[in-house]
Amino acid sequence: MFMLGNTKMGSASSFSKFCLTLLLLVDVLGSTNAQLSTNFYSKSCPNLLSIVKSTVTSAINKEARMGASLLRLFFHDCFVNGCDGSVLLDDTSSFTGEKNANPNRNSARGFDVVDNIKSAVENVCPGVVSCADILAIAARDSVEILGGPKWAVKLGRRDARSASQSAANNGIPPPTSNLNRLTSRFNALGLSTRDLVALSGAHTIGQARCTSFRARIYNESNIDASFAQTRQRNCPRTTGSGDNNLAPLDIQTPTSFDNNYFKNLISQRGLLHSDQQLFNGGSTDSIVRGYGNSPSSFNSDFVAAMIKMGDISPLTGSRGEIRKNCRRVN
């Protein structure tokens, strides 16, 4: 009798534990698999999109290059442990973030604009909108304001509490990359070769530093001679001389989001080594040709690739946090 009673109690206890485990499992799965959605803040912060748009518009009106800088920040965020706002964290005495990693040092910019957006959003919806989502919206707005396509941004990301300088150094393809390296890095993040070419079209806006393209304009043969000479005027051969002098990634329309980047590649006027690799007798030549001939084809593929990139390893549910200040964890 006593043993039977114990067995019954044991069964009840086991069943309770099983139910608790199941609940915890459902909770964990719910928090990790929560889906991003385009209307995530429709109730909690209904004016979010107009607030971001007006701040981005104002920043681009002051400096057209800022659109490219904000778009680039989103790339550099997503390519390092997913789209989690980690690129925005400042270094501290006890923490080394991504801002001084090789791909970002002296070149990543737009952090003040993100601060302005965050401040404006916090005034209206305190503690609701993540910095990671602000970056995703600002990237979309930048493209649209500069004449490119518009799309509905999926939202619901949360912010990382950490960052990784080594992951940034290893995860963001440098401008010296060849096609194999570019393809394999994009593929590792679930992005196809077509996504690679479409996303590279972001180089239809923005500027690059002399140090990023010096080797190409002096040493490479798959480059239009007059284009190389034009670029050499503002980028001396000697390392250390004029390293930070800028040149447009698209020599034709550097502040308009269009398909001229691809036309430049076809005429061997890609500024970076990694750009020209996309049209250099390899597997991506036909895609570049297609985008050079059809702006609508480029736009639709760019939008699809941006949405796909925005889906890379987001923190959702109960993971991460909603930072009060994009530069530091709460």
Side-chain angles (χ1 to χ4, degrees):
M1 194 66 189
F2 177 71
M3 285 177 69
L4 188 62
N6 255 352
T7 306
K8 282 181 178 174
M9 284 175 65
S11 298
S13 167
S14 298
F15 183 70
S16 299
K17 282 180 181 171
F18 172 74
C19 288
L20 184 61
T21 304
L22 200 61
L23 281 169
L24 286 171
L25 190 62
V26 168
D27 183 53
V28 168
L29 287 173
S31 70
T32 53
N33 287 347
Q35 295 297 302
L36 303 182
S37 73
T38 55
N39 59 358
F40 188 84
Y41 298 106
S42 58
K43 290 193 173 75
S44 58
C45 194
N47 296 325
L48 171 63
L49 297 181
S50 59
I51 294 168
V52 178
K53 183 81 173 281
S54 67
T55 312
V56 174
T57 302
S58 162
I60 291 176
N61 285 343
K62 282 183 195 155
E63 184 200 13
R65 183 188 172 206
M66 188 51 70
S69 298
L70 291 169
L71 179 56
R72 184 170 183 257
L73 274 187
F74 184 53
F75 279 106
H76 284 210
D77 186 33
C78 293
F79 265 63
V80 183
N81 299 328
C83 314
D84 60 3
S86 60
V87 72
L88 303 171
L89 290 170
D90 281 345
D91 290 357
T92 67
S93 54
S94 59
F95 168 83
T96 304
E98 296 163 23
K99 287 185 177 177
N100 283 305
N102 293 331
N104 295 326
R105 190 172 55 248
N106 298 325
S107 67
R109 55 200 299 278
F111 300 110
D112 292 348
V113 176
V114 175
D115 292 339
N116 292 342
I117 299 170
K118 178 63 171 170
S119 168
V121 171
E122 284 293 306
N123 282 340
V124 180
C125 317
V128 171
V129 182
S130 68
C131 299
D133 277 346
I134 283 172
L135 208 46
I137 301 165
R140 186 275 310 273
D141 287 349
S142 296
V143 170
E144 187 196 354
I145 291 162
L146 293 173
K150 183 178 182 177
W151 62 95
V153 180
K154 288 162 70 173
L155 302 167
R157 300 168 191 82
R158 288 164 65 86
D159 296 320
R161 294 190 178 98
S162 62
S164 171
Q165 189 176 92
S166 62
N169 280 329
N170 296 320
I172 300 167
T176 52
S177 302
N178 64 22
L179 185 56
N180 282 343
R181 183 172 182 181
L182 291 169
T183 306
S184 63
R185 180 59 190 142
F186 275 68
N187 288 171
L189 294 171
L191 297 168
S192 68
T193 303
R194 183 167 283 274
D195 295 328
L196 156 67
V197 181
L199 290 171
S200 297
H203 285 179
T204 184
I205 52 174
Q207 312 258 337
R209 295 181 304 142
C210 166
T211 184
S212 301
F213 59 84
R214 177 183 280 122
R216 170 150 168 77
I217 61 172
Y218 285 102
N219 304 333
E220 296 186 10
S221 57
N222 60 341
I223 186 168
D224 177 79
S226 64
F227 172 71
Q229 285 164 5
T230 302
R231 293 279 69 97
Q232 287 169 7
R233 284 181 209 134
N234 197 37
C235 181
R237 185 189 289 270
T238 312
T239 302
S241 175
D243 281 5
N244 292 321
N245 292 353
L246 297 170
L249 287 156
D250 168 6
I251 195 171
Q252 297 184 71
T253 50
T255 57
S256 291
F257 197 96
D258 54 31
N259 69 332
N260 278 335
Y261 166 80
F262 299 105
K263 295 177 181 176
N264 292 333
L265 297 186
I266 292 165
S267 56
Q268 296 196 316
R269 294 191 296 174
L271 183 64
L272 306 179
H273 174 82
S274 53
D275 287 329
Q276 197 59 56
Q277 281 287 298
L278 302 178
F279 192 84
N280 194 40
S283 59
T284 50
D285 283 17
S286 59
I287 305 174
V288 170
R289 265 206 194 87
Y291 293 158
N293 290 329
S294 171
S296 60
S297 168
F298 164 51
N299 282 346
S300 61
D301 283 0
F302 180 80
V303 165
M306 283 293 287
I307 292 169
K308 214 162 146 186
M309 185 177 77
D311 281 343
I312 299 173
S313 308
L315 298 173
T316 56
S318 57
R319 296 184 302 156
E321 65 180 18
I322 304 296
R323 274 184 230 145
K324 295 184 181 78
N325 180 328
C326 292
R327 292 173 180 266
R328 54 178 179 267
V329 297
N330 294 341

